[in-house]
Amino acid sequence: MRVTGTLQREAWLRTEIPPVERVVPGVWSIPVPIPGSPLRYVLSYLIEHASGFVLVDPGWNAPVSWQALTEGLAACSVPLSAVTAVLVTHVHPDHHGLSDAVRGQSGAWIGMHEHEDAQLARFARPDWNDSTAHYMRWCGSPEEHIRWMTADGYGGAAAAMARADRLLAHGDLVDVPGVRLRAVWTPGHSPGHLCFHDETHDLLLTGDHVLPRITPNISASHPDSDPLADYLESLKELRKTAAKEVLPAHEYRFAGLDARLDDLRDHHIERLEEAAVIVGSAPGRHTAWQVARRVTWSRQWSQLSAVQHQAALGEVVAHLRHLQSLGTVTCATVSGVGLWQSLPRSA
Ligand SMILES: [Zn+2]
């Protein structure tokens, strides 16, 4: 892997926001701050087409972020009114938060995968908190964590984000003239995550699916889903693009897609092995929360924030669920709580 966004990387190391950059003629990166987040910024991408501009992942909805986005567009000499389409890789608020404001001021349409639009509909349902609490109990979460999850209003804030005007499916060419921008469905980090292959410039916009330094969170949000299987499969799908440069939504640009895809796959294989060892190392059955407490994280469990606990828990459920698909562990639901146990290895 070779870093091509050297200014971005230098800024990252200095804990600063990188500059607006022209990646190639007709494509710019605009960093949009995420206040209070260790990710610091989303890289929003502006792509020129024959009759205007496409904006991918406008960023977090906060005044400072809106200011950075509009000043970034001005630095590219592009008025907001020239944006005709907003594409979102996925509807996490650091990517999709400002889409509604951009649409409101420009008249642009918003495009995303149908599974992302369905998520927005789900957040808006009145039973979102109840179903979240139910799922958290199934994971073995303590009541304190469940209260935090349901009181923090994530569903409410997320429900306020813009619904899609157009749905994009795997392989679709985005309907803009003069530039070939193809949607690549890459579920895993989010069920309807899309990457965009700019075939005109041979650039791959990877959203959160492939980042140069960190591994994206792969969370199971439902006991029956196997998002890690989806993620590993969509890493393979991305390899087919053979794009020469990767434009991620965080951190910095790089070349050497295949090597990074290998790293990400290997990370999850190691995590799977660790989870299998934890489940197998003690007799009896374990909740996902108990397994999560014993996995090696960047910091001790007790020092992680509630947000980090939730990300870690989701990640552990995703790995346990995939181990279950592989026939390594089994899960039984007893009194509403999922209990995980090793299966003896067949000879
Ligand atoms: Zn995300």
Side-chain angles (χ1 to χ4, degrees), residues 39 89-95 189-190 193 207-209 216-217 250:
L39 288 170
T89 57
H90 62 302
V91 299
H92 288 170
D94 52 330
H95 299 254
H189 175 65
S190 191
H193 190 288
D208 281 358
H209 186 62
N217 179 267
H250 301 285

Side-chain angles (χ1 to χ4, degrees), residues 182-199:
R182 194 178 296 280
V184 186
W185 183 40
T186 49
H189 175 65
S190 191
H193 190 288
L194 290 176
C195 293
F196 294 100
H197 188 195
D198 176 345
E199 297 176 351

Side-chain angles (χ1 to χ4, degrees), residues 206-220:
T206 54
D208 281 358
H209 186 62
V210 175
L211 299 167
R213 194 184 62 92
I214 55 170
T215 55
N217 179 267
I218 309 300
S219 273

Side-chain angles (χ1 to χ4, degrees), residues 206-334:
T206 54
D208 281 358
H209 186 62
V210 175
L211 299 167
R213 194 184 62 92
I214 55 170
T215 55
N217 179 267
I218 309 300
S219 273
S221 55
H222 189 275
D224 297 331
S225 62
D226 186 352
L228 186 55
D230 296 339
Y231 183 70
L232 294 171
E233 200 52 45
S234 44
L235 289 178
K236 286 186 204 161
E237 189 62 41
L238 218 50
R239 200 177 290 266
K240 295 179 192 164
T241 65
K244 76 169 188 290
E245 189 172 6
V246 178
L247 276 52
H250 301 285
E251 302 179 333
Y252 35 81
R253 304 193 299 281
F254 64 97
L257 173 66
D258 283 6
R260 188 60 188 145
L261 295 177
D262 289 345
D263 288 349
L264 291 166
R265 179 201 57 206
D266 292 348
H267 164 81
H268 288 291
I269 290 171
E270 284 169 25
R271 264 280 143 85
L272 282 167
E273 286 167 358
E274 186 181 14
V277 167
I278 290 171
V279 175
S281 64
R285 300 187 286 187
H286 314 267
T287 67
W289 184 273
Q290 288 167 338
V291 176
R293 289 187 64 115
R294 294 180 55 199
V295 168
T296 314
W297 304 108
S298 56
R299 273 182 275 165
Q300 281 189 356
W301 183 258
S302 59
Q303 292 172 351
L304 298 178
S305 66
V307 181
Q308 290 166 325
H309 279 154
Q310 184 52 34
L313 180 67
E315 184 103 7
V316 161
V317 176
H319 284 75
L320 291 172
R321 180 67 190 81
H322 194 56
L323 286 171
Q324 187 182 16
S325 300
L326 297 172
T328 311
V329 304
T330 180
C331 182
T333 298
V334 178

Side-chain angles (χ1 to χ4, degrees), residues 4-278:
T4 51
T6 47
L7 290 177
Q8 294 172 333
R9 181 147 189 283
E10 285 165 15
W12 176 264
L13 293 173
R14 289 196 305 266
T15 69
E16 291 171 2
I17 302 290
V20 174
E21 283 185 85
R22 193 179 73 161
V23 180
V24 294
V27 180
W28 294 262
S29 66
I30 302 174
V32 179
I34 315 167
S37 165
L39 288 170
R40 277 182 238 146
Y41 54 86
V42 140
L43 292 168
S44 187
Y45 293 100
L46 183 68
I47 301 172
E48 187 170 14
H49 61 77
S51 57
F53 294 82
V54 172
L55 186 63
V56 182
D57 286 351
W60 182 263
N61 186 6
V64 65
S65 315
W66 175 252
Q67 187 184 346
L69 179 66
T70 50
E71 287 178 0
L73 287 165
C76 304
S77 304
V78 174
L80 194 53
S81 58
V83 175
T84 66
V86 173
L87 304 179
V88 285
T89 57
H90 62 302
V91 299
H92 288 170
D94 52 330
H95 299 254
H96 182 45
L98 282 176
S99 300
D100 196 42
V102 173
R103 177 172 64 183
Q105 301 237 350
S106 66
W109 54 268
I110 296 174
M112 66 181 75
H113 191 273
E114 63 175 326
H115 289 350
E116 295 303 291
D117 193 52
Q119 288 214 83
L120 292 169
R122 231 177 349 260
F123 291 141
R125 283 172 51 143
D127 62 352
W128 189 86
N129 267 357
D130 287 347
S131 59
T132 300
H134 186 263
Y135 176 58
M136 288 292 106
R137 283 197 185 92
W138 182 84
C139 294
S141 314
E143 284 301 320
E144 182 192 359
H145 184 72
I146 296 171
R147 270 197 300 279
W148 173 81
M149 268 301 280
T150 49
D152 117 293
Y154 179 80
M161 292 191 292
R163 296 288 300 272
D165 299 306
R166 300 189 191 181
L167 298 177
L168 298 166
H170 180 66
D172 282 357
L173 276 175
V174 176
D175 184 21
V176 288
V179 65
R180 289 176 64 85
L181 198 55
R182 194 178 296 280
V184 186
W185 183 40
T186 49
H189 175 65
S190 191
H193 190 288
L194 290 176
C195 293
F196 294 100
H197 188 195
D198 176 345
E199 297 176 351
T200 304
H201 305 98
D202 198 15
L203 301 170
L204 186 64
L205 279 63
T206 54
D208 281 358
H209 186 62
V210 175
L211 299 167
R213 194 184 62 92
I214 55 170
T215 55
N217 179 267
I218 309 300
S219 273
S221 55
H222 189 275
D224 297 331
S225 62
D226 186 352
L228 186 55
D230 296 339
Y231 183 70
L232 294 171
E233 200 52 45
S234 44
L235 289 178
K236 286 186 204 161
E237 189 62 41
L238 218 50
R239 200 177 290 266
K240 295 179 192 164
T241 65
K244 76 169 188 290
E245 189 172 6
V246 178
L247 276 52
H250 301 285
E251 302 179 333
Y252 35 81
R253 304 193 299 281
F254 64 97
L257 173 66
D258 283 6
R260 188 60 188 145
L261 295 177
D262 289 345
D263 288 349
L264 291 166
R265 179 201 57 206
D266 292 348
H267 164 81
H268 288 291
I269 290 171
E270 284 169 25
R271 264 280 143 85
L272 282 167
E273 286 167 358
E274 186 181 14
V277 167
I278 290 171

